[in-house]
Amino acid sequence: MTTETATPDRSEIARLIRNWFTEHGRDLPWRHDDFGAWGILVSEIMLQQTPVVRVIPRLAQWLERWPSPAALAASAPGDAVRAWERLGYPRRALNLHAAATVIAEVHHNVVPEDVPTLLSLPGIGDYTARAVAVFAYGHHHPVVDTNVRRVIARAVNGEGEAGPPSTKRDLAAMEQLLPADRAAAHATNAAVMELGAIVCTAKKPRCEECPVRELCAWRAAGYPAYEGKRQVVQKKFEGSDRQVRGLILAELRASDVPVTADEITQVWADAEQRERALAGLLKDGLAVAEDSGYVLP
């Protein structure tokens, strides 16, 4: 004889998480009503694989210097890379500069609000497009990141991990949590994301503080170990090509004149890895070769 686990009440899960978010959500600058679509777009790109605590001060400096897409577009791409400093994944700075240029020249300096147009901007993927449409303009769309996927996997599906991402499946799962009301849907997207970020965390979930602990399918099942497919884990940073690329970029950012090949030689001892990292920077447009050395774009 088998027993079936009751399907959790998704609308109640969403309601409880929204109520929790109203009381416990962090006061982050991009959640203020007057923050604006440009600020939200910049924040979403900066927040990709970068902790909130590192983004907040850099975001404030960025928006003070470039308060609009046109302001950023008027600067050289290298200025964006230099201002990005140590946020990581500096290709995002070039993508943001390219997107700002299109917004300024094609969209009259106004960040688009519909997902298809946002997706047409350079470097803007599905998550960022949906996040801007929802958080800047209040449109009704599911927004899914790693934190959202984890909450749904545990609370709704009864699994300890979300497994590899699937855009179609993940969006459909989040859509089922969203109420019809646009304001409530907006709040639900933000609330589920926040719960995953600060309570339903990957390694040490704080279940006793969770507003849906009594409805959580994973908790009800006794926290079974996850046995499904796992997402590919990124190689560690130390000793990686990413680290070498970062060291070379740091040299370029710190110099107002071209950095010579001899100076780059001093950055990393392994010549093969150093040349591979430099070639990657040149290919990605993050560095430009000149007769006397290398500079930012």
Side-chain angles (χ1 to χ4, degrees), residues 140 175 177-185:
H140 192 292
E175 182 72 55
L177 285 179
L178 297 183
D181 179 76
R182 280 175 44 154

Side-chain angles (χ1 to χ4, degrees), residues 121-144:
L121 299 175
I124 302 300
D126 188 75
Y127 167 79
T128 303
R130 289 173 176 274
V132 172
V134 170
F135 299 135
Y137 293 108
H139 291 304
H140 192 292
H141 300 290
V143 182
V144 177

Side-chain angles (χ1 to χ4, degrees), residues 2 28-29 34 36 38 51 59 75 85 117 145 158 177 195 216 233 284:
T2 59
L28 301 175
D34 61 350
W38 170 239
L59 176 64
S75 293
E85 292 192 1
T117 306
D145 71 351
L177 285 179
L195 187 74
C216 178
V233 178
D284 289 345

Side-chain angles (χ1 to χ4, degrees), residues 7 28 32 43 45 55-56 58 64 72-73 82 86 115 135 148 164 171 179 182 202 228 239 257 262 280 289:
T7 301
L28 301 175
H32 295 182
S43 71
I45 292 177
V55 167
I56 290 177
R58 181 68 57 236
E64 182 177 358
L72 177 58
R82 182 172 279 110
R86 302 185 67 82
V115 171
F135 299 135
V148 169
L171 290 175
R182 280 175 44 154
V257 297
D262 286 342

Side-chain angles (χ1 to χ4, degrees), residues 74-213:
S75 293
D79 292 340
V81 175
R82 182 172 279 110
W84 201 256
E85 292 192 1
R86 302 185 67 82
L87 282 180
Y89 302 94
R91 181 69 188 173
R92 292 179 294 167
L94 286 184
N95 289 339
L96 186 51
H97 184 277
T101 301
V102 174
I103 294 169
E105 295 178 354
V106 178
H107 301 290
H108 310 290
N109 206 34
V110 176
V111 175
E113 63 177 280
D114 63 284
V115 171
T117 306
L118 285 160
L119 283 170
S120 72
L121 299 175
I124 302 300
D126 188 75
Y127 167 79
T128 303
R130 289 173 176 274
V132 172
V134 170
F135 299 135
Y137 293 108
H139 291 304
H140 192 292
H141 300 290
V143 182
V144 177
D145 71 351
T146 299
N147 294 314
V148 169
R149 294 178 63 248
R150 186 187 314 112
V151 171
I152 292 175
R154 290 173 176 172
V156 178
N157 300 331
E159 297 182 340
E161 298 180 25
S166 166
T167 300
K168 183 177 180 180
R169 183 186 65 237
D170 295 338
L171 290 175
M174 186 59 191
E175 182 72 55
Q176 292 181 326
L177 285 179
L178 297 183
D181 179 76
R182 280 175 44 154
H186 172 286
T188 301
N189 276 306
V192 175
M193 198 175 295
E194 183 78 339
L195 187 74
I198 66 175
V199 173
C200 191
T201 56
K203 294 183 179 179
K204 295 182 178 180
R206 293 149 50 187
C207 296
E208 294 309 313
E209 300 176 29
C210 181
V212 296
R213 59 187 177 276

